[in-house]
Structure formats: C-alpha cells, structure tokens
Amino acid sequence: MEFFRESMLELIIQTSTNLPPDVRQAMGQALETESPGTQAGQALAIIGQNIDMAYDDEGPICQDTGMPTFEIKTPVGVNQIEMKRVIQEAVAEATRRGKLRPNSVDSITGKNSGNNLGPGTPVIHFEQWEEPTIEVRLILKGGGCENKNIQYSVPCTLDRLGRADRDLQGVKKCILHAVWQAQGQGCAPGALGVCIGSDRAAGYHHAKLQLFRPLDDVNPDPTLAKLEAEIMEEANKLGVGTMGFGGQVSLIGCKITAANRLPAGYFVSVAYDCWAFRRLGMLLDAESGAIRKWLYWDPERSVERLIGKGAGFQLTGREVRLEPPLDEEKVRALKVGDVVLINGPLVTGRDAVHHYLMHNDSPTDLRGAILYHCGPVMIKQGKTWRTNAAGPTTSIREEPYEADIIKRFGIRAVMGKGGMGKKTLAALQEFGAVYLHAIGGAAQFYARCLPKVLGVDLLELGTPEAMWRFEAKDFVAIVTMDSHGNSLHEDVAAATGAELEKAGARG
Ligand code: SF4
C-alpha cells in the first residue's frame, strides 16, 4: 500500500477544492435560471466565480471544510487498521497545507486539536465487498448545513402544512418543510439526502449516504423516483432562492431511500447539504493503494467553468462605500437591499468570541466596527499569516448574544450569512446598526477581499475561533436587516411560508 497515503491526500485536496461536475452543472443551470439583477442572481455570480477560483488556485471552496467522512469498501483481507492510520495522517497533512480547516473541537474543553484528529474525527466507515479493488468516497459537509439536518417522527404536525401522516403524502410534507425551515441558513440552493424509515441513528446515516448519489441519476425505485421529481418541482416553487434571498432555485438535488422500520416508529430523516456540495471518490489498487479511477470526476476532461455562464460579480456603481469605523448617521441611512463595498478594518468573531465577549472586555476597540461572523482558514508562513479561505458563517447561532454585544461594544454592523432573529433586529433599531449578508461559502472570493492581516487576538481559541483583524478591500455584502426594523429574512420566510401552504394544499 505504498501509494495509499498519496491517494488519500489527493482525494482530500480535490474534494475540498474541486466541485464535482454534477454539482458544477447544477450550479451552472441555477446561474442561467436566476435573473442577474436580483439579489439571488448577484449571490450566484459570486458563488460561480468562487467555484472557478477554488479550482484554479487549489484553495478550499468554502472555509468550513466540514466533518471529513470516508465511506470505504475493501476486498476481504485488506488491513483496515492500517488504512485508518494512513487516512488520519493524510487528514493531518491536508490540514497543515490549509486544504482543510482545523475543525475537530473537544466537546468538553472546547480545545481545537488543530489537525482535524480527535475522538470521532475524521469519520471512517468500512464495509467489505466482493470486488478486487478498494473504493473510497469522501464527503466534506460543513456545519451550517449540518445544523439544518432535520428528523421527523410521523405522525406529526408541521408549521404551515398541518398533519403529516405515515404515508408518502406525509413524507412529502416533511421534506418540503425541511427545505423551508432551512431558508438560507444552510447556504441554499441545497441538496437533500433523505431516508424514510429505519431508526433515529441509522436513518440519518442512510440519509447522508444518499448524498453520494450523482445529482443526475434516476432512483431505480419508480415510487421514490416520482417522489424525488415532485419534491424538486415543489421545492423550487417555494421561492427560498440562493442564500434565502428569494428566487427560483432553492434545491439542486433530492435523493431518497427507504429502509425498514420498527412498527412503532416512522422517521423521515433529512440530510441537508449546501451548494458547496463537496464529495468525490476513487477506486484504488488493493495491493498498492494507487488510484485506478476517479469517481464523479474525470481528470482527463476539462472542468466546466462557470464564468461563461454568468458567474463573476459586476459592480454597478450604485454600491454604498463603507469605511469602518462607521458612524450612526451613515449606518441609519442604509436600507435592506443596499449593496455595500467595505474598505478598511474588519474584525472576526464567531461562537467562542461571542461567549468571551459576554464575560470579558474586548481585546480590540469595537466602536463603529463591523463584526464579521467568520472562521477563516489561515496559514502561517514564517511570522506572517495568510488568509486561505474566509467566507461567512451562519449568524443565527449568535442570536442569544448579539444584541448585548452591539449595545456593550458600540458595534455598527454585524456581518455573516443566513440572517438573525428578532432580538438582534430590535437591537439594530435601538442602537443604530445593520446586518450585512456576505455570500455563504464564497471563501476564495472573500479571501481575496482580505489582503492584509492586521493582527489576531484570542488565538488560544483556535484559528477558526480567534479574533482576526483584517484590512478589507472592496468586500461586497448586502444589507438584509436595517436599523428601521426591516428584515429581508422575515419577508422571505413569510412569502415562502405562504407558498408552502399552497404546496401542502396541492398534496
Ligand atoms: S457553503 Fe455554507 S453551509 Fe456549506 S459549508 Fe460553507 S458555510 Fe457551511
């Protein structure tokens, strides 16, 4: 198995940086469907540009490289213990090279292991098969979309849809509800893996395995094939759109399986993956571990570029220029829908920083600041830090803290993705601040908008959680919550909720 380590490293690097052709094609279709003048169209233009940039520079497509999950089939007699050890080595090396973000956090102490290794990480599942080769498939599914996974125990009563029974109509209601509840927080447009039946734990596992099916395949079970097609049609009528900005493309795939269940239990488990739907695989020689064939991707064929399909953000001249520190008057003049271009200092803060600030003073002055919800991938070269990926993280996790932090530290803008709730909206109104929406997953695009690292505090929290100070250059974002009580997220949730009701009535 002298080539196995090299093969695993290549699999990890390609999965993190090279979106598979079926997903690329679906995103190309989304670009062609959505009108370029809309917020969803603008977001897709950035996403498409980001996908091309990631491939060109071999950088992570999204800064959240997720929970590396390997599904492996081996012939009888292959040493799985040795394979596991080598995969762990490859994961640590890919992390060192900045292709994976250090994402393995001790659940008791909160300490990041720094190399993606630790109890339960990475996830490696083995199975034996009768073939002479080894098959390895890898999925990198990030935390934002993982948080939008959902499991229903039917019969149940669903918001906007009423009762879901133990039949295919009930299942359909659950799946449509899953798309609606995700809104933009899982970086729509998304792809679903669904399991009908099984138990709670295995149901989620079967659902995730469905994400390994190519987006353009057809379910061999005609009943499930029909259900998948119906979900695709109905979900894309809801109007969630890219990033939850409203729009015509909410879902790029829906793959469903069924497993037997206990008589007393009926679960519908939904694994929601974002547009940065990173999964690849390979067949390996069982003796040497050398790559025999890639799955999903053919390295001999040229990669379909999205730039020709409408990708690439275009300035219109109507953007509002923001140069922090911001004053109240400037911020109160902003309205939902304004596109802003940020030049000047940006400070990052996500879960651990918010927790820290609730109990401590800030290590840096935050008056007039833009607080960016971001856990970047950083690489240290000598004494200098380089930003390797820096898209926004899901803001709603900070909802319990943000209003207090805006008030205490005089922050004028919080920036992230997916929007925030009523408590933050009220604080924006009371203290004169806004919520800026950056485009989720556009980690390469935004890394280039943060050309200079000004400093870092709280590095002991781990690189994704530290408080980074960047110099921003033409950093693009959209105002989605303003200081006048307006929230695009509330508007889209209400409009899509009305569509969901109609879908439920259609049956
Ligand atoms: S694209 Fe969004 S949901 Fe997906 S991994 Fe990146 S930040 Fe998370």
Side-chain angles (χ1 to χ4, degrees):
M1 294 283 272
E2 71 262 41
F3 298 116
F4 186 59
R5 183 179 184 276
E6 212 175 288
S7 300
M8 289 303 94
L9 191 54
E10 187 60 12
L11 177 62
I12 297 165
I13 292 172
Q14 289 301 326
T15 308
S16 176
T17 62
N18 180 7
L19 206 62
D22 58 333
V23 183
R24 212 174 267 270
Q25 195 183 19
M27 292 306 290
Q29 278 167 7
L31 266 161
E32 286 169 348
T33 305
E34 217 63 83
S35 162
T38 60
Q39 284 149 355
Q42 287 173 318
L44 277 168
I46 289 177
I47 288 171
Q49 190 173 347
N50 182 75
I51 293 168
D52 282 353
M53 282 173 165
Y55 179 74
D56 291 342
D57 292 355
E58 220 178 59
I61 296 164
C62 175
Q63 77 288 337
D64 185 354
T65 54
M67 176 70 86
T69 302
F70 295 83
E71 298 291 337
I72 304 173
K73 292 178 181 156
T74 64
V76 177
V78 167
N79 186 340
Q80 297 180 352
I81 297 170
E82 178 63 7
M83 287 175 75
K84 192 171 172 183
R85 190 188 61 73
V86 174
I87 288 172
Q88 288 171 344
E89 267 179 35
V91 165
E93 176 60 18
T95 312
R96 198 186 63 74
R97 293 191 195 181
K99 308 299 179 185
L100 294 179
R101 186 176 72 181
N103 261 359
S104 176
V105 177
D106 186 306
S107 295
I108 308 303
T109 64
K111 192 169 168 12
N112 192 317
S113 70
N115 60 3
N116 271 308
L117 303 183
T121 53
V123 175
I124 306 174
H125 296 134
F126 286 102
E127 204 183 305
Q128 284 188 336
W129 69 349
E130 302 284 356
E131 301 295 322
T133 49
I134 297 171
E135 181 191 277
V136 185
R137 293 178 195 248
L138 169 64
I139 189 164
L140 301 174
K141 184 171 181 297
C145 55
E146 188 68 12
N147 282 335
K148 300 322 291 183
N149 289 358
I150 189 163
Q151 192 170 57
Y152 302 88
S153 174
V154 283
C156 59
T157 304
L158 300 170
D159 195 12
R160 308 276 183 158
L161 289 167
R163 200 180 67 239
D165 295 316
R166 288 182 170 190
D167 55 24
L168 285 183
Q169 277 311 108
V171 169
K172 190 172 166 185
K173 282 186 179 180
C174 293
I175 301 173
L176 289 174
H177 184 271
V179 176
W180 180 69
Q181 60 90 39
Q183 290 290 308
Q185 291 170 9
C187 289
L192 306 181
V194 181
C195 175
I196 306 168
S198 191
D199 65 10
R200 282 200 187 273
Y204 263 136
H205 182 56
H206 288 307
K208 196 165 188 178
L209 288 179
Q210 286 298 296
L211 295 172
F212 285 102
R213 282 175 50 199
L215 287 178
D216 49 6
D217 76 351
V218 176
N219 199 314
D221 179 325
T223 306
L224 296 181
K226 182 167 173 280
L227 185 58
E228 288 174 0
E230 286 173 4
I231 294 290
M232 288 301 292
E233 191 181 333
E234 291 288 356
N236 283 317
K237 283 184 191 156
L238 293 180
V240 173
T242 301
M243 291 296 128
F245 289 165
Q248 298 179 59
V249 188
S250 305
L251 207 56
I252 55 172
C254 177
K255 303 293 165 188
I256 307 175
T257 189
N260 281 14
R261 60 181 174 84
L262 296 170
Y266 194 124
F267 297 108
V268 180
S269 309
V270 182
Y272 185 102
D273 210 335
C274 52
W275 69 259
F277 183 5
R278 292 152 289 175
R279 51 111 171 85
L280 285 175
M282 45 178 55
L283 290 178
L284 305 171
D285 185 282
E287 291 291 318
S288 67
I291 303 169
R292 278 203 182 166
K293 186 179 176 230
W294 281 87
L295 305 175
Y296 308 104
W297 173 55
D298 179 358
E300 300 300 317
R301 295 183 61 179
S302 61
V303 158
E304 183 184 358
R305 303 188 67 81
L306 295 177
I307 205 81
K309 299 199 158 188
F313 183 73
Q314 307 286 338
L315 292 175
T316 62
R318 293 191 297 277
E319 295 78 15
V320 181
R321 295 193 166 262
L322 296 182
E323 292 175 2
L326 307 175
D327 62 37
E328 184 170 353
E329 191 186 349
K330 178 105 186 170
V331 168
R332 289 218 184 257
L334 292 169
K335 296 180 302 302
V336 163
D338 286 344
V339 177
V340 300
L341 274 186
I342 304 163
N343 284 280
L346 268 190
V347 187
T348 68
R350 44 180 278 160
D351 308 66
V353 164
H354 281 74
H355 187 260
Y356 181 90
L357 292 179
M358 290 300 283
H359 304 98
N360 300 280
D361 280 340
S362 172
T364 186
D365 186 1
L366 291 174
R367 270 170 302 169
I370 300 176
L371 181 64
Y372 183 26
H373 298 159
C374 169
V377 179
M378 305 297 293
I379 300 180
K380 198 162 191 186
Q381 292 168 323
K383 289 193 171 160
T384 16
W385 286 98
R386 184 166 65 79
T387 313
N388 207 32
T393 192
T394 314
S395 299
I396 196 71
R397 295 196 307 274
E398 318 312 340
E399 180 66 8
Y401 318 112
E402 206 68 86
D404 291 334
I405 284 173
I406 290 168
K407 180 181 174 184
R408 273 187 61 210
F409 295 100
I411 288 163
R412 289 281 171 218
V414 284
M415 180 161 71
K417 55 110 172 162
M420 301 194 72
K422 285 198 180 305
K423 200 173 154 201
T424 301
L425 188 60
L428 300 180
Q429 206 167 0
E430 184 176 352
F431 303 110
V434 287
Y435 178 80
L436 303 174
H437 201 300
I439 308 308
Q444 291 304 310
F445 179 87
Y446 284 125
R448 286 158 181 75
C449 301
L450 301 171
K452 196 166 167 196
V453 180
L454 300 174
V456 58
D457 294 297
L458 306 177
L459 195 52
E460 64 275 18
L461 300 174
T463 54
E465 295 285 348
M467 208 168 183
W468 295 93
R469 282 176 281 119
F470 292 113
E471 181 76 26
K473 190 169 183 315
D474 291 342
F475 191 110
V476 186
I478 300 175
V479 180
T480 57
M481 295 165 67
D482 64 23
S483 62
H484 310 289
N486 302 309
S487 165
L488 176 73
H489 309 286
E490 285 188 352
D491 295 348
V492 174
T496 54
E499 292 303 321
L500 186 65
E501 277 172 25
K502 286 186 210 162
R506 282 194 290 271

